Amino acid sequence: MEVTMDPLFLAWSYFRRRKLQQCSDICTKILQDNPYDQAAWSLKTRALTEMVYIDEVEVDQEGIAEMMLDESSIAQVARPGTSLRLPGTSQGGGPTPAVRPMTQSGRPITGFVRPSTQSGRPGTMEQAIKTPRTASTARPVTSASGRFIRLGTASMLTNPEGPFINLSRLNLAKYSQKPNLSRTLFEYIFHHENDVKNVSVANLKHQKNLLALYCCFNKKLLFHHQALDLAAQATEHAQFKDWWWKVQLGKCYYRLGLYREAEKQFRSALNHQEMVDTYLYLAKVYQRLDQPITALNLFKQGLDHFPGEVTLLTGIARIHEEMNNIPSATEYYKDVLKQDNTHVEAIACIGSNHFYTDQPEIALRFYRRLLQMGVYNCQLYNNLGLCCFYAQQYDMTLSSFERAMTLVANDEEQADVWYNIGHVAVGIGDLTLAYQCFKLALAFNNDHAEAYNNLAVLELRKGRIEQSKAFLQTAASLAPHMYEPHFNLSILSEKVGDLQSSYTAAQKSEDAFPEHVDTQQVLKQLRQHFAVL
Amino acid sequence: MPEVKSIFREVLPKQGQLSMEDVPTMVLCKPKLLPLKSVTLEKLEKMQMEAQEAVKQQELTSKDQS
């Protein structure tokens, strides 16, 4: 006789081996036989949660609405060095845009992207809509309508029998009394259904009214209902003494955009129990409220309790980086590496910093280290190729780029790789190849402003002034934050005798990069010309 | 190459004024290191791709049925 394993045990084993789909299938079968099997029910919720689980500390997507209709900002124009929105010119003597490319907000590009890596706060609505996102999707209208909702609806779609738990028919009060079920249920609602509000608001009456208002204003938030309810009832059940539930309440408030309430919950949770996670969430709230200095202090407080904690150190480094203080960011990334020498983010950031401070050999060592650690993707090979070329290791350059080409995931990446190959071609003086590379970059990504600019320079060398001008104008309109197209346009216009447009272009170039000496010279010459007239 | 050297001789003026002109030249945009992606971002992108695929599949099957 064949001995079969207890199905629940098998499901549990699948869960531990992260074969989540099988686990959930078995649980479904158990639940068909006995719908009241709480163990199976709980396990299935956990499996479904794990399938779509993303680290909440990392996820931060700012929608257009939050950005443009910001109520929490204290001053319209913050003092320099106290705001993430005004990166200002580098305070710590970091690389200038002459050597390091900039993102749209005037920050140097980083060596690492996270979901929360903002390309900064665009100044105008138009820019906000145009800003490219990290994951090649457009910026959502509000953060509540972003990925969370889309992933949530998609997970429902693939379930032909409808959702596993019908949230609207759930008696949350009953579940909040059962500590062993309520936590898994919360995580399920929060991560899988993306339904924040049920998980937590209910017991605080005045806030409920506020929320109702909020919901009318923003339909999307209606989805964010249940998580909040559950969390609130559960904290009540735990007599407001359970730090875990307070953190969850804070998370819900954060997603709902009630940052001050979130702050209260996290603070209160920290009073009960010092946890690294809570510090990270709280710092996230302060970053969203645009108080980087408070966030830094908080991280340092956290480091007093948890000395050498990598995530806290990384948090500090990220803030310094976003405030355009690259040298101290690098210091903190080095501290991170002292604790954890396989930290990909720290290695990548230090590497890119070395590359842009004219030390490609050292950058190459960092990127090689990443390769040894098993990072295997298009970006890494592209960076290796560039470092090899500028460190004069020509034998490896083209093969690295070839690898990068075979590993590209989408057209934007391919465009970037071709753009960089174009630079190699410029470096070896093969201008025909460079021309073709930049053209290819444009073929893959029609909005590649840098490629337009470089192509314009090559066109001008061939003597095609009109073509060159057209490219420069395109580049300038695609990326007004770069100084190169404006500056080039200024020179070009001056050459053909159009002093007025030369002057306006030079002014734009000065706005983008005030310390640029050549721009200053051009402006000075033009002013002299005008004075003579 | 020695024969080239014999044709062109280096000329350094010993007297008179030496003038230099600094002409601004066009600038190229700089090479771009691509930022690596965090694990969370990669997972998000993967999930989004899968979700889109699933939606497409469902739409296709529903079209076939109708």
Side-chain angles (χ1 to χ4, degrees):
Chain A
M1 196 182 100
E2 199 187 341
V3 183
T4 52
M5 206 189 267
D6 175 41
L8 186 63
F9 186 81
L10 188 64
W12 182 241
S13 162
Y14 274 133
F15 179 74
R16 272 183 313 186
R17 286 181 281 152
R18 298 197 60 77
K19 298 186 174 172
L20 302 170
Q21 191 57 52
Q22 281 115 309
C23 169
S24 135
D25 290 345
I26 294 181
C27 288
T28 315
K29 265 181 219 147
I30 301 175
L31 285 172
Q32 270 168 2
D33 299 340
N34 176 14
Y36 296 104
D37 189 335
Q38 290 188 342
W41 187 83
S42 176
L43 187 59
K44 187 173 173 185
T45 42
R46 284 183 67 185
L48 290 178
T49 312
E50 281 294 321
M51 279 183 207
V52 292
Y53 179 81
I54 12 173
D55 192 355
E56 182 64 16
V57 178
E58 293 277 309
V59 181
D60 191 9
Q61 201 175 31
E62 210 171 13
I64 294 174
E66 279 90 16
M67 224 161 4
M68 304 311 292
L69 312 169
D70 186 10
E71 307 150 334
S72 55
S73 70
I74 300 165
Q76 276 294 311
V77 182
R79 278 169 295 147
T82 60
S83 169
L84 292 170
R85 285 163 215 183
L86 268 188
T89 44
S90 66
Q91 316 140 347
T96 62
V99 282
R100 186 167 185 159
M102 286 284 173
T103 58
Q104 197 167 29
S105 61
R107 289 195 189 92
I109 58 165
T110 70
F112 198 74
V113 274
R114 306 165 284 276
S116 58
T117 310
Q118 297 169 355
S119 23
R121 288 182 167 250
T124 62
M125 198 70 175
E126 192 194 349
Q127 249 180 316
I129 297 166
K130 263 164 65 175
T131 310
R133 299 298 300 145
T134 39
S136 75
T137 47
R139 197 182 275 281
V141 177
T142 73
S143 58
S145 69
R147 286 204 183 97
F148 302 126
I149 294 297
R150 267 176 276 145
L151 291 175
T153 43
S155 60
M156 306 254 273
L157 246 179
T158 45
N159 250 344
E161 321 80 80
F164 164 49
I165 300 174
N166 193 340
L167 290 180
S168 53
R169 278 199 271 154
L170 218 54
N171 184 0
L172 291 177
K174 197 181 86 192
Y175 282 95
S176 66
Q177 315 288 318
K178 297 177 184 164
N180 43 358
L181 286 185
S182 55
R183 287 174 197 224
T184 50
L185 179 63
F186 171 83
E187 300 222 300
Y188 175 80
I189 304 177
F190 190 78
H191 290 287
H192 193 269
E193 301 290 321
N194 293 306
D195 195 348
V196 188
K197 196 164 146 244
N198 247 342
V199 203
S200 76
V201 166
N203 68 339
L204 315 159
K205 279 217 174 103
H206 60 285
Q207 264 159 8
K208 205 174 181 183
N209 293 341
L210 202 149
L211 262 175
L213 255 175
Y214 216 85
C215 290
C216 300
F217 171 63
N218 189 342
K219 245 186 180 173
K220 299 292 186 305
L221 287 179
L222 281 172
F223 291 107
H224 291 68
H225 218 283
Q226 305 213 290
L228 203 54
D229 273 334
L230 179 59
Q233 285 168 16
T235 20
E236 210 180 342
H237 180 68
Q239 287 153 5
F240 302 102
K241 275 181 190 154
D242 191 330
W243 67 271
W244 193 85
W245 278 113
K246 288 190 174 170
V247 173
Q248 308 314 315
L249 256 175
K251 275 157 75 174
C252 293
Y253 280 129
Y254 182 85
R255 273 212 194 165
L256 287 169
L258 301 168
Y259 302 120
R260 288 295 173 191
E261 280 78 8
E263 183 196 352
K264 261 182 230 154
Q265 295 298 333
F266 289 136
R267 284 265 174 215
S268 148
L270 275 180
N271 285 338
H272 286 285
Q273 174 91 33
E274 300 274 349
M275 291 298 281
V276 179
D277 264 10
T278 320
Y279 277 112
L280 294 176
Y281 287 127
L282 192 52
K284 204 172 128 182
V285 173
Y286 286 128
Q287 271 163 283
R288 179 53 74 83
L289 288 172
D290 194 22
Q291 298 182 359
I293 308 287
T294 321
L296 280 179
N297 287 336
L298 184 78
F299 277 130
K300 282 178 187 151
Q301 248 178 8
L303 279 176
D304 289 341
H305 291 98
F306 304 96
E309 169 61 39
V310 172
T311 43
L312 295 176
L313 284 172
T314 322
I316 298 182
R318 283 178 192 171
I319 293 181
H320 278 303
E321 193 175 48
E322 284 200 28
M323 301 209 352
N324 212 352
N325 192 348
I326 304 292
S328 36
T330 314
E331 280 305 308
Y332 277 101
Y333 277 127
K334 281 182 183 161
D335 280 348
V336 171
L337 284 188
K338 276 177 202 152
Q339 306 293 336
D340 172 10
N341 58 10
T342 56
H343 199 270
V344 178
E345 177 175 357
I347 298 179
C349 286
I350 297 178
S352 69
N353 193 33
H354 278 300
F355 182 81
Y356 285 119
T357 47
D358 218 10
Q359 291 168 316
E361 305 85 359
I362 303 177
L364 184 59
R365 293 172 63 121
F366 279 95
Y367 284 119
R368 255 177 44 199
R369 164 89 184 148
L370 283 179
L371 194 66
Q372 283 169 352
M373 279 164 43
V375 180
Y376 184 74
N377 55 25
C378 157
Q379 287 90 358
L380 181 63
Y381 273 108
N382 169 71
N383 297 353
L384 274 173
L386 273 183
C387 288
C388 282
F389 181 70
Y390 287 100
Q392 304 184 4
Q393 308 219 350
Y394 301 120
D395 49 341
M396 285 288 293
T397 307
L398 286 181
S399 51
S400 295
F401 278 120
E402 272 169 6
R403 285 278 178 91
M405 275 297 176
T406 54
L407 291 172
V408 285
N410 53 39
D411 280 355
E412 280 81 18
E413 285 178 9
Q414 187 133 12
D416 280 332
V417 177
W418 275 119
Y419 169 76
N420 287 324
I421 298 179
H423 269 285
V424 173
V426 170
I428 58 174
D430 190 346
L431 293 186
T432 324
L433 178 61
Y435 188 84
Q436 286 165 340
C437 288
F438 292 135
K439 277 268 180 193
L440 274 169
L442 286 181
F444 285 109
N445 178 6
N446 209 6
D447 292 336
H448 206 291
E450 290 99 335
Y452 272 118
N453 176 65
N454 291 2
L455 210 52
V457 176
L458 294 181
E459 288 284 8
L460 192 70
R461 279 183 68 96
K462 291 185 181 173
R464 289 186 229 159
I465 293 177
E466 281 308 309
Q467 186 69 21
S468 171
K469 199 171 172 184
F471 281 145
L472 283 178
Q473 277 163 345
T474 320
S477 67
L478 282 174
H481 62 281
M482 295 196 312
Y483 81 98
E484 289 97 341
H486 298 304
F487 177 69
N488 291 341
L489 196 59
S490 164
I491 293 177
L492 184 73
S493 310
E494 201 215 317
K495 265 187 194 156
V496 296
D498 185 356
L499 296 188
Q500 186 56 46
S501 33
S502 170
Y503 187 68
T504 41
Q507 273 180 325
K508 279 182 197 158
S509 162
E510 193 193 19
D511 287 343
F513 181 16
E515 299 95 9
H516 193 226
V517 181
D518 284 356
T519 307
Q520 298 297 346
Q521 270 178 353
V522 170
L523 273 173
K524 202 174 137 199
Q525 271 180 10
L526 285 170
R527 286 198 185 109
Q528 274 173 353
H529 267 300
F530 291 142
V532 169
L533 293 177
Chain B
M1 285 176 275
E3 58 269 89
V4 178
K5 258 184 194 165
S6 65
I7 299 168
F8 299 107
R9 266 188 309 122
E10 193 178 18
V11 178
L12 280 174
K14 296 275 192 301
Q15 51 192 350
Q17 282 183 330
L18 181 69
S19 72
M20 237 180 58
E21 196 186 8
D22 191 13
V23 186
T25 45
M26 307 268 276
V27 281
L28 288 171
C29 281
K30 304 304 163 293
K32 211 159 81 175
L33 283 186
L34 298 183
L36 301 177
K37 284 177 186 167
S38 72
V39 177
T40 316
L41 186 61
E42 271 180 11
K43 185 166 178 186
L44 262 178
E45 287 185 358
K46 206 178 118 213
M47 272 167 25
Q48 228 167 347
M49 286 269 288
E50 277 168 6
Q52 274 170 357
E53 284 298 309
V55 172
K56 260 186 213 161
Q57 284 293 328
Q58 286 208 344
E59 275 174 0
L60 275 181
T61 46
S62 63
K63 249 184 206 169
D64 286 345
Q65 281 164 5
S66 62

